[in-house]
Amino acid sequence: MAEKSRGVFATLFFWAWSLFNFIRRFVFGVIALFLLLIFFVALRAGGGKVVLQERTALVLDPKGNIVEQYSSDPAQRAFAGAFGQKIREVQLRDLIRTIDAAAADKRIERLVIEPDQIASAGMSTLHEIGAAIERFKAAGKEVVAVSNSMSQGQYLIAAHANEVLLHPDGDLLLEGLGRYRTYYKDALDWLGVDVHLFRVGEYKSYAEPYIRNDASPESKEADLYWMNGVWGDYLKEIGGARKLDPKAIAAQIENYSTSIKAANGDLAKLALDAKLVDKLATRDEAEALLIQKGVKEENSFRQIDFQDYATLVQRENPLDTRPQVGVVVAQGEILDGDQAAGTVGGESTAKLVRQARENRNIKAVVLRVNSPGGSAFASELIRREIELTKAAGKPVIVSMGDVAASGGYWISMNGDQIFAEPTTITGSIGIFGLFMNFPKTLAKLNVHTDGVGTTSLAGALDPRRALDPKVGDIIQSIIDKGYQNFITKVAAARKKKPEEIDAIARGRVWSGAQAKERGLVDQLGGLREATAAAAQAAKLGDNYQVRYVEKSLSAWERFIVSLSNDASASFVHSLVPKSMRTLLAQPDVQGQLKLLSSLDSNKVGVFAYCFCEIK
């Protein structure tokens, strides 16, 4: 009887699952057909193209994080754009290209900067944008910055404007650079957790919070040294842009307690008195000023958003057949294996370098690094591909962004030339290993571990057991070997002796300017300068184009990108019902669509995908 019941239950379960699977396939089939219909209707609709008129102002109002490379895939971004979702990332390359194109475009009269919604951007990233703004001004065009409230990072861009307008009730406060961390030693001791840190270099402080309750003297010394260098460059840049003495700006900051009180707490007035801004103006007053400067159009000034302008420029430019300088982006933590965009993968990033090497149209390679490091093995895979690319006769130039430290320096060391911004964070040539075990923690709960092993190493890294000192010696020996390997490779790449590298390594961090003084960097400059150097090394002169070497889009991704890039994307957005847009914005639906984008029509695959989320 029990077997019969089980049989009935299994049958019911089978039919229930079949029904669910049918409904799932039907729903997504309908969505796919609906999107296909929208696509063809949009194509037929045509029109809607942006027409750029004379005396137009380009509005630069990036929202979210400014990154080297998107952290989401093309399909996700395309769906978000087509269905009215906000993308909270902007690529640095797109901003630079747009500003430079506008500088040469006679239809663009001025640049209007609205920096308030920049969420995150490194100092070197902001410096590169500032340099592009200066090129725009050098073309004889005006730049106006309009802000409600600015952080010191946002101000680094605004300071390059000919005129800076701040809301009367807004604020601008320059505070300097700080690095404060949370330390856990007492808490871990109280929990009974044993922490074992293996490292080479007294300045390799990444894991100090687990073994100390405060920063070590070496950590404070090194951090303050490079931060003073970066902060000095910041003051120098805004001082130069605003025609102010950097020392006077620094003195004002130190005197804030008095000056803010004297201004009755009015930070906007204080910024005006300090000549950090030119005028206090509400939004409507700023808009009226811009109308007066330009052309009135639809109750505002004639303008185009930088994203719309970038699309327009791309459409207007014909197919470029010139020789290529290939740019490979290494952004984020360095991890083993194949990784998505926004993260450096030992296998995936090495493959991109290899593709650049094997592409006959690419005559030189620029490795754009913005990474704090990670896996040493993954770093070595990428470094080796750089070495092979040079051996194949293609120049490799490294361009360091905000940070290229530790593993980020490892993958950079073999470049024919290394470029860094003065504010780049680099160096940190060192290695560490961290292991935690918690037998004392378990003992507090009256839980114990026991057993046997065929050798003394069997189960030695079981976190429930105490670490055998002999095993600790083994790990430290491996770390020592890794460090010697690191400095030996750097010495060979930089044509120095290992002991010379050791003296400036030992995990110590430097600014880009400090690294150049110590021979770890060849030139100070950004991606633009590195690309020009790559073209020169390949003897291309000025006759070249820049191509980013990235993962190829699948057929599904190309379809979605074409849909979102079409000039009638706004028409698509208006056509799609709100309920459908809401459905497509759901994380589980986007996950299913991402899965669909990974399918290869030439292969038969079995996919296990859980349409679920635990909260």
Side-chain angles (χ1 to χ4, degrees):
M1 187 67 180
E3 291 181 1
K4 185 176 181 180
S5 298
R6 284 195 296 270
V8 172
F9 177 78
T11 302
L12 289 173
F13 179 79
F14 171 78
W15 284 110
W17 172 254
S18 299
L19 178 62
F20 169 76
N21 200 34
F22 170 77
I23 294 173
R24 178 181 65 85
R25 290 169 179 264
F26 176 78
V27 169
F28 280 95
V30 170
I31 291 174
L33 287 173
F34 186 72
L35 290 175
L36 194 61
L37 176 63
I38 291 173
F39 176 67
F40 285 114
V41 171
L43 286 180
R44 289 181 63 84
K49 291 184 178 180
V50 176
V51 178
L52 187 63
Q53 301 182 60
E54 299 293 327
R55 301 195 65 192
T56 297
L58 175 65
V59 178
L60 192 75
D61 58 344
K63 299 175 178 64
N65 301 331
I66 300 179
V67 297
E68 297 287 347
Q69 188 177 59
Y70 290 123
S71 60
S72 58
D73 63 50
Q76 288 175 314
R77 296 195 304 276
F79 264 103
F83 297 103
Q85 305 298 312
K86 297 293 185 182
I87 300 297
R88 303 302 295 182
E89 288 183 332
V90 180
Q91 290 188 132
L92 173 62
R93 71 184 86 159
D94 296 333
L95 290 174
I96 301 300
R97 282 174 175 172
T98 302
I99 297 170
D100 285 338
D105 193 331
K106 294 180 180 179
R107 297 167 297 181
I108 299 295
E109 186 174 52
R110 68 178 43 79
L111 178 65
V112 178
I113 303 172
E114 297 180 6
D116 298 21
Q117 296 192 59
I118 298 174
S120 173
M123 201 72 77
S124 297
T125 292
L126 297 170
H127 175 75
E128 292 211 41
I129 297 172
I133 294 171
E134 290 297 329
R135 293 194 293 273
F136 184 91
K137 289 163 60 179
K141 300 185 179 185
E142 184 185 36
V143 181
V144 179
V146 180
S147 174
N148 288 334
S149 175
M150 283 181 282
S151 67
Q152 65 183 18
Q154 294 164 347
Y155 179 68
L156 186 56
I157 294 179
H160 288 276
N162 299 99
E163 190 171 12
V164 182
L165 310 179
L166 179 65
H167 195 286
D169 292 322
D171 60 84
L172 168 60
L173 193 66
L174 306 184
E175 56 185 304
L177 302 180
R179 186 170 186 251
Y180 297 91
R181 305 166 72 186
T182 302
Y183 292 79
Y184 310 103
K185 183 181 185 303
D186 281 352
L188 292 171
D189 288 346
W190 177 74
L191 292 170
V193 177
D194 293 328
V195 180
H196 306 275
L197 175 61
F198 308 93
R199 64 176 176 176
V200 178
E202 61 274 24
Y203 297 104
K204 197 68 176 176
S205 60
Y206 178 87
E208 277 190 356
Y210 304 105
I211 62 169
R212 296 179 59 97
N213 290 318
D214 58 358
S216 67
E218 294 83 2
S219 176
K220 290 181 177 180
E221 173 197 346
D223 285 349
L224 193 57
Y225 187 77
W226 71 258
M227 283 193 293
N228 275 331
V230 171
W231 180 241
D233 285 318
Y234 175 92
L235 294 175
K236 194 183 304 180
E237 182 167 346
I238 64 171
R242 299 291 304 168
K243 296 180 174 56
L244 298 172
D245 182 1
K247 292 181 180 179
I249 301 173
Q252 289 171 357
I253 295 172
E254 292 298 332
N255 195 41
Y256 265 156
S257 59
T258 302
S259 56
I260 292 177
K261 185 177 180 180
N264 295 318
D266 190 337
L267 294 178
K269 183 178 182 303
L270 181 65
L272 180 65
D273 292 341
K275 298 182 180 180
L276 296 176
V277 302
D278 298 289
K279 188 179 295 184
L280 301 184
T282 61
R283 275 287 165 158
D284 57 288
E285 291 171 340
E287 190 170 38
L289 177 64
L290 290 168
I291 291 173
Q292 183 181 350
K293 287 175 175 289
V295 177
K296 185 175 182 180
E297 189 173 89
E298 296 181 0
N299 299 318
S300 186
F301 58 96
R302 181 177 291 166
Q303 60 188 271
I304 184 171
D305 182 77
F306 78 96
Q307 292 175 318
D308 291 335
Y309 180 70
T311 302
L312 178 70
V313 169
Q314 185 178 19
R315 189 174 68 233
E316 290 180 341
N317 288 336
L319 181 65
D320 198 335
T321 59
R322 293 176 297 171
Q324 299 171 355
V325 172
V327 179
V328 176
V329 175
Q331 173 185 275
E333 294 184 14
I334 302 175
L335 305 174
D336 293 312
D338 190 19
Q339 300 296 330
T343 305
V344 186
E347 296 288 349
S348 50
T349 304
K351 182 179 179 181
L352 293 178
V353 177
R354 189 160 57 250
Q355 286 177 358
R357 179 172 72 247
E358 295 172 352
N359 189 321
R360 289 180 296 178
N361 295 321
I362 294 177
K363 307 302 181 183
V365 179
V366 172
L367 181 68
R368 175 66 169 183
V369 183
N370 195 1
S371 171
S375 165
F377 181 73
S379 301
E380 173 57 21
L381 292 181
I382 300 166
R383 186 207 66 82
R384 177 57 178 164
E385 289 297 333
I386 297 295
E387 194 173 49
L388 292 173
T389 302
K390 288 172 58 180
K394 287 192 178 181
V396 179
I397 307 297
V398 172
S399 172
M400 293 179 169
D402 295 319
V403 56
S406 199
Y409 191 85
W410 190 310
I411 65 177
S412 303
M413 68 173 86
N414 279 98
D416 289 299
Q417 289 187 76
I418 298 177
F419 281 75
E421 294 286 5
T423 52
T424 296
I425 300 170
T426 188
S428 192
I429 299 171
I431 293 180
F432 74 92
L434 187 68
F435 178 72
M436 297 185 187
N437 53 355
F438 45 87
K440 297 175 185 176
T441 308
L442 294 175
K444 291 184 177 185
L445 302 173
N446 292 321
V447 176
H448 305 279
T449 302
D450 197 11
V452 294
T454 57
T455 71
S456 59
L457 292 179
L461 297 181
D462 186 331
R464 299 171 301 169
R465 302 179 61 205
L467 185 68
D468 188 328
K470 293 181 180 178
V471 176
D473 291 340
I474 293 173
I475 297 174
Q476 186 62 55
S477 296
I478 295 171
I479 297 296
D480 290 341
K481 167 63 169 61
Y483 177 73
Q484 288 300 318
N485 189 31
F486 198 166
I487 63 172
T488 299
K489 288 181 183 295
V490 174
R494 304 302 300 168
K495 296 179 175 57
K496 292 179 177 290
K497 297 178 181 179
E499 52 269 27
E500 291 180 287
I501 298 300
D502 178 60
I504 55 177
R506 308 195 67 77
R508 183 154 185 169
V509 175
W510 308 100
S511 72
Q514 293 163 353
K516 183 178 183 298
E517 292 172 355
R518 288 157 179 80
L520 294 176
V521 165
D522 297 297
Q523 301 288 342
L524 295 180
L527 182 58
R528 180 185 176 92
E529 290 77 16
T531 304
Q536 183 180 11
K539 300 179 180 179
L540 300 180
D542 295 329
N543 185 38
Y544 68 94
Q545 60 171 309
V546 177
R547 175 197 168 186
Y548 279 79
V549 183
E550 296 175 313
K551 286 186 176 181
S552 301
L553 301 183
S554 67
W556 171 258
E557 288 171 330
R558 286 195 298 272
F559 166 74
I560 296 302
V561 169
S562 67
L563 177 62
S564 69
N565 283 345
D566 193 87
S568 53
S570 59
F571 168 77
V572 174
H573 178 254
S574 65
L575 183 64
V576 179
K578 183 177 180 181
S579 57
M580 179 65 76
R581 297 200 304 269
T582 302
L583 172 64
L584 291 170
Q586 296 301 312
D588 51 0
V589 176
Q590 290 195 358
Q592 180 77 353
L593 294 172
K594 186 175 181 180
L595 176 64
L596 288 173
S597 73
S598 68
L599 295 178
D600 186 336
S601 59
N602 297 319
K603 297 180 182 179
V604 177
V606 178
F607 294 85
Y609 188 86
C610 180
F611 224 29
C612 59
E613 183 179 7
I614 298 175
K615 294 185 178 179

